Amino acid sequence: MASNILFLPFRRTNAVSMSAAIKQYISTKYDQHPDMFKKDLDTIDQIRSNAVNSLEAHISGVQKLTLYAAQLVWIGGKFPIDIGVDFTWYPALGFNTQNPESQNNLRFELANILYNLAALYSQMALSLNRSTSDGLRAACNYFCQAAGVIAHLKDTVIPDLRTTPPEDMDTMTLESIQQLLLAQAQECFWSKAVKDGLKDGLIAKLAAKVCDLYDQAAEYGTKSDIISTEWIHHMTAKHHHFAAAAQYRASRDCLDKQKYGEEVARLRDSLVCVNEALKESRWINKIVLADLNGLKARVSEDLKRAEKDNDVIYLIPVPPKSELKTLDRAGMATARIPQEVSDPYSALDGKGAFGQPLFARLVPYAVHVAVSIYDERKERLVNTTVIDELEGLTQKLIDLLQSLNLPGSLQALEKPLGLPPSLNTHAEEIRQQDGLHKLRRSMHEISKLKANDAAMYQEGVGLLKTEAEDDNKARLKYGTERWNRQPSREAAKNLYTKVDEIDGYLKSAASSDDLVKNKLKECEGAIEILGGTARDLESYVPNSKRTTMTPTVERAVDGLRSALSEVTKLEHRRKKKIQEVREKVKYDDINGAILAETARFEREYPMQKIEPAQFENLFDDRLEVYNEDKEMVAQESELQSQLTTRIKEANAAFTAARHGDSSTKEREQALQRLENAYFKYKEIVSNLNTGRKFYNDLANIVTRFTDDCRTFAYQRRVEAGQIETQAELSFHLPIVAN
C-alpha cells in the first residue's frame, strides 16, 4: 500500500537446529553432560523459530525478537561465537535479495534479529492510524525505537562481529536508515503539532529539523551501494518538501508579527523549494506527489495575496534570501534503544516475561578460557623463572668442570686401573635407555612429525594459492567493476600473516634441528662406547701407572674431591627441587577458585558477561605461591657462586701439586671425553624432547590454519559463484536509453 513514509522490509532465514550444535559443543568441550540442559536445548530452538517467523506488524513480535536477542547475547558468554551453526539470511535491501549469506557466527545471527526488530518497529509505525494525535505519537515512538535499534546494531553489534558484515549492514547503509527513521519520527511529531494547532513559529522549527534529517539520510544513501535510487529520490523530495513547509510556516508567523516584507520573502523561498521537490515527481509515489502539489497550491495562493497586500498597502521592502535569518531547529526525534536491547541481561532476571537465562548452570566459556590462561601463565612462570634457571645454573657448572678437565683428571689419578664407579653408573644409564639407538629413533620420529607439519602447512598454502589464482583470473575476465570483491590477501589478512608466521617457525626449527644433529655428530662415537659392552668401555679407557702421592698431592686431591662431591649433592638436590616444583604445578588446580570468583561476580554483578580479564587479580594472587621458588633460585645462584670459587681454587692447587706429572694424561683425556659425552647425551635427549613437543604443538597450529584455509576457500568459491552468476547476467541485460 502506497504511503508518504517508508518502512524497512524483513530479512528472511532458513530453519536451523541450534540445539544440536550446542549439545555437540557441550559434549566435547565441557565436563557437564548435555542431558542436564535438555529443557534449555528445546527452548533455544523454539524461541528462534518464534523470532524468525515474526514477520507481521504486530506488537507480539517485539517480545519474541527481543527475547531471542537477549538469549543470544547471554549464551555469547557461555559459548564461542562460532558455535557450529551456519545461520543463513537473505538480504532485505539492495539487488541481491535472493542470494543468501551464511555465517557460523552468533553475532551475525544477533545482527539479523536486531535488524528485523527495527523493521518490525517501522512497520508497526506504518500500520497505525496517523490521522489522530494518538496514532502520530505512537508512530513517532516506534520510529525512534527503530532508529535506536539500528544505532545499537551499527555502534555495538557490527563492530564486534569479527567477520565482514553483510553488504546491507555497512556503515553508510545503516547511517542512512537511521537518519531516515529519525526523519519520519520527526515528521510524525510535526504532523501532530499541525493537527494540535500549535503556533506557526514552533511548527516551522519542527519542519526545518525534518528537512535536515531527510537531507542527511539522502546524503548517506548516495554513499551506500544498497540504498535504492527510489529511496534516495523519496528522501530528496522530502528534504525539499519540508524546507518549503518550514518557510511556509515561518511566513505565517511573520504575518502574525506584521513582518510583511519577510513574509513575502519566505513564501517566495518556499515556492522555490517546493518546485525543487517536484523535480523528483517521476520517481516518487502519488501520495508524496499529492502532498507536494497541495503545499504548492497553498504557498502560491498565500504568496499572491501577500505580494498584493504589500505592494498596495504596506509597501515594506522584501529582503533577499541571503538576509533572511536561518530558521531555528526543534529536534524532537531521538534514537531510543529499548532497554531489552541495550541491557539484555536486565530482562533475563527470572521475574519478567523473559524468564531465566538459558544454560545458566553451564560454566561460562570465559571460565574455561581463564583456566587455560592461568595454566599457561603458571607453566611459563615456573619454566622460565625456576626450572630453566636451575638447569641453566647446573649447565654452567658442568661447562666449568669440562673446561677444567674434571672429574677426568682426578679419576685418572685416584683410580689408575679399571673404571671409576661414576662412569660405570653413567654407562649403565645410557645402556638401559638404548643410548645411541634411542637418539636416532627420536630424531627419525621428530623428522616424521616435522614432515607431517610441513605437508599440512603446504596444503593450506596451496589452498590459498589456488584461491588467489582463481580470483585473479575471474577479475581479469570480468573486470574490477563486475568482480568487485576484496582481493584474496585483503580478504584473508590473518591467514596470510599466519603463512609467514608458520614458515618462520619451520625455518627456526630446522636450524635448531641442525644444531642438535651437529651435537650428536661431535660425540656420537663416545656415546656409542658408553652404550656398548663393559669390555668395549674398559678397552677405550687406558690404564695408567699407579703413582705414589705426596702429602701435598693428597691434600689437593682431598680438597678437589670434596668440592666435586658438593657438585654431585647440588645436582641431586636441584633435580629433587625441580621435581617438587613440577608436582606443585601439577596439583595447582585453580578451577575451584575461579568458580567461586565467578559465583561472586554473578552475585554482585548479575547478568554481566564474564570475561577472562576479570580474573587477573586472582591470577596474580595465586602466582605469588611461586615466589618462594624464585627466592630458592636466587639462593642456589649464590651457593653456586661460592662453590665455583671453591672448585677453581681446589683445581688450581691440584694442578700445581701435580706439576710435571703426565703419567695419567691419556687416561684423563679418555675419561673426560666419556664424561663430556654423557652430559652431551643428556642435553641432546632434552633437546629432542623439546623438539617433539614443539612439532606436536605446531601440528595443532597448522591443522587449525589449514582448516581455516579450507573454510575460507570454500566460502570464496560460493561467493565467487554468486558474483559470477550476476556478472554473466549483466552481459545479457538490455541497454535502456535515458
Side-chain angles (χ1 to χ4, degrees):
M1 184 176 67
S3 172
N4 64 347
I5 59 175
L6 302 175
F7 68 90
L8 288 182
F10 289 114
R11 293 171 70 89
R12 298 179 185 274
T13 184
N14 297 330
V16 295
S17 175
M18 288 185 67
S19 60
I22 293 174
K23 184 176 182 179
Q24 176 65 22
Y25 194 86
I26 293 173
S27 298
T28 55
K29 300 293 184 180
Y30 290 86
D31 294 332
Q32 294 159 284
H33 197 280
D35 287 348
M36 295 171 59
F37 308 98
K38 186 178 185 308
K39 183 178 178 182
D40 291 348
L41 290 167
D42 292 340
T43 301
I44 191 66
D45 282 342
Q46 185 59 54
I47 64 173
R48 182 183 194 270
S49 177
N50 293 341
V52 301
N53 290 306
S54 295
L55 303 177
E56 295 180 1
H58 193 275
I59 189 66
S60 62
V62 172
Q63 181 174 328
K64 294 174 183 177
L65 287 162
T66 51
L67 168 60
Y68 182 46
Q71 293 289 5
L72 281 174
V73 175
W74 167 260
I75 65 176
K78 298 284 185 179
F79 303 103
I81 63 171
D82 53 343
I83 186 64
V85 183
D86 286 326
F87 298 104
T88 300
W89 285 88
Y90 291 81
L93 300 173
F95 305 102
N96 297 314
T97 55
Q98 300 305 311
N99 296 329
E101 179 174 355
S102 296
Q103 288 192 26
N104 174 18
N105 188 329
L106 287 172
R107 293 197 174 277
F108 173 72
E109 172 84 341
L110 175 62
N112 283 280
I113 292 298
L114 291 178
Y115 179 94
N116 271 6
L117 178 61
L120 176 60
Y121 278 128
S122 75
Q123 294 184 35
M124 286 167 58
L126 185 68
S127 69
L128 293 170
N129 179 7
R130 298 191 312 282
S131 63
T132 67
S133 291
D134 289 343
L136 287 167
R137 183 190 301 109
C140 177
N141 181 55
Y142 283 147
F143 277 129
C144 287
Q145 287 181 299
V149 174
I150 292 295
H152 181 75
L153 174 63
K154 171 174 60 73
D155 299 333
T156 303
V157 179
I158 294 298
D160 200 28
L161 196 61
R162 304 184 194 176
T163 57
T164 302
E167 63 177 12
D168 56 347
M169 290 190 192
D170 66 288
T171 302
M172 291 298 107
T173 300
L174 293 179
E175 284 282 7
S176 179
I177 291 172
Q178 182 182 339
Q179 297 305 317
L180 170 64
L181 293 168
L182 288 174
Q184 295 183 158
Q186 180 81 9
E187 181 177 350
C188 288
F189 199 94
W190 170 85
S191 297
K192 184 178 183 300
V194 172
K195 185 171 289 294
D196 292 347
L198 299 186
K199 292 182 178 180
D200 287 311
L202 176 58
I203 294 175
K205 294 176 182 178
L206 292 170
K209 186 61 178 178
V210 179
C211 166
D212 292 346
L213 290 169
Y214 273 119
D215 184 42
Q216 291 170 21
E219 184 177 351
Y220 283 120
T222 58
K223 297 176 182 177
S224 164
D225 295 329
I226 300 301
I227 300 298
S228 67
T229 53
E230 180 184 352
W231 276 28
I232 294 173
H233 285 304
H234 173 91
M235 293 183 284
T236 303
K238 284 282 193 174
H239 160 62
H240 294 303
H241 180 166
F242 279 92
Q247 292 289 35
Y248 173 66
R249 287 289 174 170
S251 75
R252 293 181 59 168
D253 185 54
C254 290
L255 178 61
D256 290 342
K257 295 177 180 178
Q258 299 180 358
K259 297 179 179 180
Y260 304 113
E262 185 178 340
E263 177 197 9
V264 172
R266 292 196 181 277
L267 284 169
R268 288 174 179 174
D269 188 53
S270 178
L271 189 59
V272 169
C273 291
V274 79
N275 284 330
E276 195 68 28
L278 285 169
K279 291 179 181 179
E280 307 290 335
S281 59
R282 288 176 56 192
W283 300 281
I284 57 180
N285 68 45
K286 294 179 180 179
I287 296 178
V288 176
L289 184 59
D291 289 344
L292 285 170
N293 285 325
L295 177 61
K296 181 176 181 179
R298 290 194 302 274
V299 171
S300 299
E301 184 178 340
D302 279 17
L303 177 59
K304 185 177 180 181
R305 186 265 310 154
E307 287 179 332
K308 181 179 178 181
D309 288 350
N310 193 50
D311 290 344
V312 175
I313 303 172
Y314 307 119
L315 305 175
I316 304 297
V318 178
K321 180 180 177 180
S322 58
E323 293 181 8
L324 290 177
K325 180 186 175 184
T326 302
L327 295 177
D328 291 333
R329 268 62 174 162
M332 302 305 294
T334 57
R336 291 201 298 275
I337 307 173
Q339 186 178 3
E340 298 86 350
V341 174
S342 62
D343 185 16
Y345 299 110
S346 64
L348 297 171
D349 58 1
K351 299 175 183 177
F354 283 13
Q356 294 284 353
L358 300 178
F359 308 101
R361 292 176 297 152
L362 186 68
V363 176
Y365 178 71
V367 169
H368 293 270
V369 175
V371 171
S372 299
I373 291 172
Y374 176 76
D375 287 343
E376 187 274 332
R377 197 173 296 178
K378 170 185 65 178
E379 292 277 355
R380 186 172 68 245
L381 173 71
V382 170
N383 285 332
T384 57
T385 64
V386 180
I387 295 176
D388 289 351
E389 288 292 324
L390 286 178
E391 290 179 343
L393 287 172
T394 302
Q395 187 59 47
K396 286 181 181 179
L397 204 52
I398 291 170
D399 292 342
L400 172 66
L401 295 178
Q402 290 177 355
S403 70
L404 298 176
N405 206 27
L406 293 172
S409 59
L410 183 60
Q411 290 173 340
L413 180 64
E414 288 188 312
K415 192 173 177 58
L417 304 175
L419 299 174
S422 62
L423 182 60
N424 281 322
T425 301
H426 293 164
E428 184 60 29
E429 180 183 341
I430 291 178
R431 288 191 202 104
Q432 289 180 356
Q433 295 179 2
D434 203 16
L436 200 57
H437 295 295
K438 174 185 177 179
L439 297 182
R440 289 170 177 162
R441 190 165 55 249
S442 294
M443 285 186 169
H444 179 67
E445 291 170 356
I446 289 171
S447 294
K448 287 174 66 177
L449 289 174
K450 177 182 178 180
N452 290 338
D453 289 353
M456 181 67 73
Y457 165 69
Q458 289 301 330
E459 180 184 348
V461 172
L463 288 166
L464 292 179
K465 183 178 178 182
T466 301
E467 188 282 324
E469 290 173 351
D470 292 344
D471 186 60
N472 288 333
K473 288 177 183 176
R475 188 169 282 104
L476 288 172
K477 179 179 178 180
Y478 295 107
T480 55
E481 289 189 6
R482 290 188 177 91
W483 202 264
N484 56 5
R485 68 173 181 174
Q486 285 184 308
S488 300
R489 281 191 173 271
E490 292 181 18
K493 287 181 181 178
N494 292 339
L495 287 178
Y496 278 93
T497 300
K498 275 287 183 186
V499 169
D500 296 333
E501 286 181 5
I502 296 174
D503 184 56
Y505 295 154
L506 288 170
K507 287 179 179 177
S508 176
S511 177
S512 299
D513 293 344
D514 290 340
L515 288 174
V516 174
K517 289 177 183 177
N518 290 333
K519 285 181 187 178
L520 179 58
K521 195 172 183 180
E522 291 171 2
C523 60
E524 190 171 8
I527 293 175
E528 188 171 13
I529 291 167
L530 282 169
T533 64
R535 179 173 294 180
D536 292 338
L537 189 59
E538 290 172 356
S539 299
Y540 182 78
V541 180
N543 294 325
S544 59
K545 296 178 182 179
R546 187 177 295 279
T547 57
T548 302
M549 290 190 287
T550 64
T552 302
V553 172
E554 285 186 356
R555 284 194 299 274
V557 167
D558 290 342
L560 187 55
R561 187 191 307 113
S562 174
L564 293 179
S565 177
E566 285 299 317
V567 171
T568 303
K569 291 178 183 178
L570 178 144
E571 289 178 347
H572 288 312
R573 183 175 71 247
R574 286 181 181 170
K575 285 180 181 177
K576 185 178 179 181
K577 286 183 180 294
I578 288 174
Q579 186 59 35
E580 288 173 352
V581 171
R582 283 180 172 146
E583 288 291 311
K584 184 176 179 180
V585 170
K586 180 180 177 181
Y587 292 106
D588 180 11
D589 185 359
I590 199 173
N591 276 283
I594 285 185
L595 288 174
E597 190 74 351
T598 301
R600 184 179 71 82
F601 287 144
E602 292 180 340
R603 193 168 55 249
E604 296 180 3
Y605 311 101
M607 304 306 163
Q608 179 177 321
K609 184 179 179 181
I610 303 297
E611 298 286 356
Q614 293 172 283
F615 300 98
E616 285 295 331
N617 291 337
L618 175 62
F619 294 165
D620 292 340
D621 292 342
R622 290 280 295 206
L623 291 174
E624 285 183 3
V625 73
Y626 298 102
N627 287 345
E628 61 183 20
D629 300 297
K630 291 190 282 187
E631 291 171 3
M632 176 267 293
V633 172
Q635 294 170 1
E636 286 289 324
S637 179
E638 179 60 29
L639 289 173
Q640 179 161 317
S641 178
Q642 298 171 9
L643 181 58
T644 297
T645 301
R646 182 179 168 190
I647 290 170
K648 289 179 179 178
E649 291 174 351
N651 186 67
F654 175 72
T655 303
R658 297 191 62 224
H659 183 67
D661 182 5
S662 60
S663 59
T664 61
K665 186 174 182 180
E666 290 185 13
R667 182 173 175 81
E668 286 177 19
Q669 292 174 345
L671 290 172
Q672 193 60 43
R673 277 196 297 273
L674 294 173
E675 185 75 10
N676 294 347
Y678 168 75
F679 284 109
K680 191 64 70 174
Y681 168 82
K682 300 285 285 184
E683 184 181 333
I684 293 171
V685 168
S686 177
N687 293 155
L688 292 175
N689 288 336
T690 301
R692 183 181 289 105
K693 183 179 185 303
F694 169 81
Y695 284 116
N696 281 327
D697 292 343
L698 185 60
N700 295 328
I701 294 173
V702 296
T703 298
R704 284 197 300 272
F705 165 74
T706 304
D707 287 344
D708 291 344
C709 291
R710 201 174 286 117
T711 300
F712 171 73
Y714 171 75
Q715 291 174 343
R716 293 277 280 187
R717 277 199 304 274
V718 172
E719 182 185 46
Q722 296 169 355
I723 298 175
E724 193 167 9
T725 300
Q726 293 296 320
E728 291 289 352
L729 286 173
S730 68
F731 278 127
H732 306 291
L733 288 176
I735 299 174
V736 181
N738 291 329

